[in-house]
Amino acid sequence: MNHEREKWILLIILTIIWGSSFILIKKSLDYYNPVEVGSLRIMIAGLLLMPVAFLNMKKFPKKNLKWLLLAAACGNFFPMYLFPIAETKISSSVAGIINSMVPIFVILIGPFLWKEVSTKFQKIGVAISFAGVCILTLGSHEAGELKLIPIVLLLLATLMYAINALTVKKKLNHVEPIALSAFVFGFVLFLPSLISLAVSGFFHDFHFTKGNFIGIGFVSLLAIFGTGLAMMLNYRILRISTALFASTVTLLMPIVAVIWGIIDGEKLTFMQIFGGVVIMGGLIFLRSRPTDKKQKTALPEDSAV
């Protein structure tokens, strides 16, 4: 399949998966605390992907181990805890706005960390889509009270996502997406998540009740689709596109969240519809390609290996 077409198809699929993760996190928090949700999410994904990791041992990036550890920590460990903790104190709409700042951080830190250059039109596209996200979420009349600590936690998480995207693109792009996901969850993060789960008191307090098994079901769905499968797709997008393009999934996720809200009985407002249109309009600018030789080197749109 043509890489240009493939990256947009994967972006849509990833948007649906990650956009649906919010409701799974919400349901999971009805049964477990934020630390337990984050740990279970990582551990279950690790258990499922560990056999894949062992089967791909020859592909383990030993020379890039430090970058693998950095990507695992920033993209899949700390944010798994920061988001649930913050969302116990802050509204989902404000969290959605802050989460959509990942492309902004990619643009801000990209040139300093890995000399990742973005086109002028791509920057305009991110700005337009971010404005659409603000309109979309504020149009739900659930902006809520702004609280400093949760906002700082979410900003830290989104910054980590940006670091992860840039690191994977620049240092781990040669590793196959499935193998990379398996190494991250099966080898690097499984033990830390198990320790976190033990420290949280999960094993001591867990009882074989219907409620706990329902909670495990929600977390399992979150782990299988919102973590394991989603990261494979994300790594694939990073391999055939740019860190900025891959990060724009966070601009589309609020649209999916609104659809889930409608299914759950919420009403769709005119502002939400308008915000969705603005987001889609911003994505048109993200299709822009570099016109000079320097930018072509910096933004390898179809440089899969």
Side-chain angles (χ1 to χ4, degrees):
M1 181 186 295
N2 178 274
H3 288 162
E4 180 68 18
R5 180 182 300 176
E6 181 185 359
K7 72 179 185 181
W8 284 96
I9 293 175
L10 292 177
L11 185 71
I12 293 173
I13 296 173
L14 190 57
T15 296
I16 295 173
I17 294 175
W18 267 342
S20 302
S21 294
F22 286 110
I23 194 169
L24 291 174
I25 292 175
K26 178 182 177 181
K27 296 294 185 182
S28 299
L29 287 172
D30 288 337
Y31 300 93
Y32 305 112
N33 64 50
V35 174
E36 290 173 337
V37 171
S39 299
L40 283 169
R41 182 177 180 179
I42 298 171
M43 190 185 73
I44 293 173
L47 283 172
L48 293 174
L49 291 173
M50 196 174 291
V52 179
F54 279 111
L55 289 174
N56 288 274
M57 277 294 294
K58 293 182 179 179
K59 301 177 182 178
F60 188 80
K62 296 180 181 178
K63 295 182 180 180
N64 301 105
L65 180 59
K66 63 180 179 180
W67 303 118
L68 179 65
L69 295 176
L70 177 63
C74 290
N76 303 285
F77 190 72
F78 292 114
M80 297 292 186
Y81 298 100
L82 293 175
F83 266 89
I85 291 172
E87 289 182 25
T88 61
K89 300 292 183 180
I90 202 171
S91 71
S92 59
S93 57
V94 173
I97 292 177
I98 298 174
N99 184 58
S100 65
M101 289 184 66
V102 175
I104 307 296
F105 280 122
V106 169
I107 289 176
L108 290 176
I109 68 175
F112 300 101
L113 290 182
W114 307 119
K115 297 181 180 180
E116 179 83 358
V117 180
S118 306
T119 69
K120 178 173 139 183
F121 284 106
Q122 287 174 328
K123 294 176 182 178
I124 293 174
V126 169
I128 292 174
S129 292
F130 178 71
V133 171
C134 294
I135 295 171
L136 177 70
T137 52
L138 292 176
S140 66
H141 306 296
E142 295 179 354
E145 179 185 354
L146 296 180
K147 298 179 180 179
L148 181 60
I149 294 179
I151 288 178
V152 171
L153 292 178
L154 291 174
L155 284 173
L156 179 60
T158 53
L159 174 61
M160 287 182 174
Y161 280 145
I163 294 174
N164 168 67
L166 290 165
T167 301
V168 171
K169 179 62 183 177
K170 292 299 182 179
K171 296 296 182 179
L172 299 169
N173 204 36
H174 61 286
V175 184
E176 293 181 5
I178 295 178
L180 183 56
S181 297
F183 295 148
V184 166
F185 292 103
F187 286 167
V188 179
L189 297 182
F190 178 76
L191 185 58
S193 67
L194 186 62
I195 294 174
S196 298
L197 199 59
V199 172
S200 71
F202 174 81
F203 296 109
H204 180 269
D205 299 331
F206 184 84
H207 298 286
F208 293 92
T209 63
K210 180 179 179 181
N212 279 332
F213 280 111
I214 292 175
I216 289 293
F218 284 125
V219 179
S220 296
L221 288 174
L222 188 61
I224 296 170
F225 295 101
T227 304
L229 177 60
M231 289 311 302
M232 291 180 191
L233 297 179
N234 186 48
Y235 290 148
R236 176 58 184 172
I237 295 176
L238 282 167
R239 197 177 195 193
I240 65 176
S241 184
T242 66
L244 177 60
F245 181 87
S247 67
T248 55
V249 66
T250 60
L251 296 171
L252 290 170
M253 284 161 54
I255 297 178
V256 178
V258 167
I259 293 175
W260 273 114
I262 296 173
I263 295 175
D264 201 37
E266 297 179 5
K267 292 183 179 180
L268 183 64
T269 66
F270 171 77
M271 288 288 286
Q272 289 174 321
I273 297 175
F274 179 66
V277 173
V278 173
I279 292 173
M280 300 305 294
L283 293 179
I284 295 175
F285 287 85
L286 291 175
R287 292 179 61 89
S288 67
R289 292 176 176 273
T291 56
D292 58 82
K293 185 176 180 180
K294 180 180 178 181
Q295 286 182 317
K296 283 182 179 178
T297 302
L299 290 172
E301 289 289 342
D302 296 300
S303 58
V305 290

